[in-house]
């Protein structure tokens, strides 16, 4: 975003507190940072992009001891330029107050260093980021980066994210939207990325990091992902350099891995054929023979040419296999019930088929020499008697509904 001179707006819908104390009682209870930023703290072989991030975290800890960790608002404040704008939203009352206090202290520290105040460059609001985002799009500069990072404690958060993105893209189709999400065993989480792929964005980038094999009970955060709509062209090459390193350093067992997917909007029937890994779903059973993915059968994708079929091989009736016997039986039935073709001498034209006055083809199952006064006998002996014009059965066959009309339901 900083490679262009045009200013942009950074919008954080779920900002949190902005800065977190790792030595507090709450953070040290689970000490999750020991398996996150901890293994990266003293590394000297970090990739350039990851080294810049770790240096930013170390800037908050001048003593060299890992005491503070930055949230996304603090990172954005350090990376953005004086002309860029930050719009931060937090609904939780305690976190919203801490966020405002942290930025007030940061401004006071900069004033002591001789830096002038940046005015309304940073605006913090206690409120719902999903609703507040609507009034900010599109921004005056027509450049924006929106970070959506809800806690997903409620199942409804997945739907809110998708609905908010769909409306935001309608207002600002060229904006960059980055969504963090946990990869859990629940159905809403497993289907979340596939649903985001159907949003009307020009391009999308989906990256997930797994640090351990999921437990049999399904609890615990073993994987997380970032889904970016309209990603910058420099992001994917950077991730392909960083992600293998993170798997090697942060992985706990053989289940550690990463996934990087990139594509365009998935629409229509193609949306149902995309699996969780982004690959096309393969049909199973008898559906494979008539599937658009197999290239056979009557269904084909738009623009897909019809498959070239090999000529049928002659079937030997003496073959004992069931397939040959079935083909022979089908050919015998076709010959038995087909109308015999009259031989036409060479050089003579085949007579045109006779049609009646109604333009419909006459019934060829009966002998044309039969007298027209005689009604043709039914082809099958067990055929039901004809019904009268009124729709009721003729005499000789009782009405199944009885003399009182339709049968009442019990």
């Amino acid at each position: 975003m900083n490679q262009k001179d045009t200013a942009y707006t950074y919008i954080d819908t779920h900002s949190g507190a902005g800065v977190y104390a790792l030595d507090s009682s709450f953070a040290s209870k689970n000490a999750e940072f020991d398996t996150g930023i901890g293994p990266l703290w003293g590394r000297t072989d970090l990739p350039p992009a990851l080294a810049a991030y770790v240096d930013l975290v170390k800037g908050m800890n001048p003593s060299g001891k890992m005491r503070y960790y930055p949230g996304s608002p603090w990172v954005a404040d350090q990376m953005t330029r004086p002309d860029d704008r930050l719009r931060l939203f937090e609904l939780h009352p305690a976190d919203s107050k801490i966020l405002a206090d942290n930025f007030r202290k940061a401004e006071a520290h900069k004033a002591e260093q001789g830096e002038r105040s940046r005015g309304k460059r940073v605006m913090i609001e206690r409120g719902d980021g999903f609703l507040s985002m609507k009034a900010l799009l599109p921004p005056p500069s027509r450049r924006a980066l929106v970070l959506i990072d809800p806690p997903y404690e409620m199942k409804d958060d997945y739907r809110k994210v998708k609905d908010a993105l769909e409306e935001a893209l309608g207002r600002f189709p060229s904006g960059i939207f980055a969504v963090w999400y946990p990869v859990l065993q629940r159905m809403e989480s497993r289907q979340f990325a596939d649903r985001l792929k159907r949003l009307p964005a020009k391009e999308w980038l989906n990256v997930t990091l797994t640090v351990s094999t999921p437990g049999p009970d399904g609890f615990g955060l073993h994987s997380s992902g970032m889904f970016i709509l309209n990603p910058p062209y420099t992001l994917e090459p950077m991730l392909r350099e960083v992600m293998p390193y993170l798997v090697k350093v942060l992985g706990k067992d053989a289940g550690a891995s990463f996934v990087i997917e990139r594509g365009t909007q998935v629409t229509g029937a193609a949306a149902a054929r995309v699996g969780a890994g982004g690959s096309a779903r393969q049909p199973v059973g008898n559906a494979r023979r008539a599937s658009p993915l197999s290239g056979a059968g009557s269904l084909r994708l738009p623009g897909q040419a019809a498959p070239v079929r090999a000529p049928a091989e002659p079937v030997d009736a003496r073959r004992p296999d069931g397939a040959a016997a079935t083909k022979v039986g089908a050919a015998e039935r076709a010959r038995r019930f087909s109308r015999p073709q009259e031989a036409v001498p060479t050089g003579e034209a085949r007579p045109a088929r006779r049609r009646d006055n109604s333009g419909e083809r006459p019934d060829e199952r009966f002998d044309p020499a039969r007298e027209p006064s005689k009604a043709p006998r039914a082809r099958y002996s067990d055929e039901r008697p004809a019904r009268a014009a009124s729709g009721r059965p003729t005499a000789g066959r009782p009405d199944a509904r009885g003399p009182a009309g339709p049968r009442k339901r019990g």
Side-chain angles (χ1 to χ4, degrees), residues 40 43-58 242:
L40 305 175
R43 303 283 300 200
T44 58
D45 58 342
L46 296 171
L50 194 56
Y53 176 73
V54 175
D55 290 342
L56 188 146
V57 180
K58 288 183 177 181
V242 170

Side-chain angles (χ1 to χ4, degrees), residues 7 80-85 116 118 121:
T80 51
R81 304 161 298 183
D83 293 337
D84 301 326
R85 298 290 181 263
R116 66 182 181 89
R118 297 181 179 180
R121 174 180 175 272

Side-chain angles (χ1 to χ4, degrees), residues 128-200:
D128 189 344
F130 290 133
L131 300 177
S132 303
M133 180 176 57
K134 301 177 183 179
L136 299 176
L137 298 177
S141 62
R142 294 302 190 271
R143 297 187 68 206
L145 169 62
V146 181
L147 176 63
I148 302 178
D149 181 17
Y152 296 99
E153 295 176 352
M154 304 295 293
K155 295 181 180 180
D156 200 38
D157 284 345
Y158 296 94
R159 181 189 58 81
K160 288 182 178 180
V161 171
K162 180 180 178 297
D163 293 344
L165 285 172
E166 192 168 9
E167 184 172 359
L169 287 170
R171 295 172 176 263
F172 189 37
S174 60
I176 300 175
F177 301 89
V179 182
W180 178 87
Y181 64 96
V183 181
L184 305 174
Q185 299 299 316
R186 62 170 56 178
M187 186 64 65
E188 295 83 4
S189 177
R190 288 187 293 172
Q191 297 178 348
F192 187 57
D194 286 344
R195 292 177 178 175
L196 297 184
K197 293 175 184 178
R198 307 177 192 179
L199 293 173

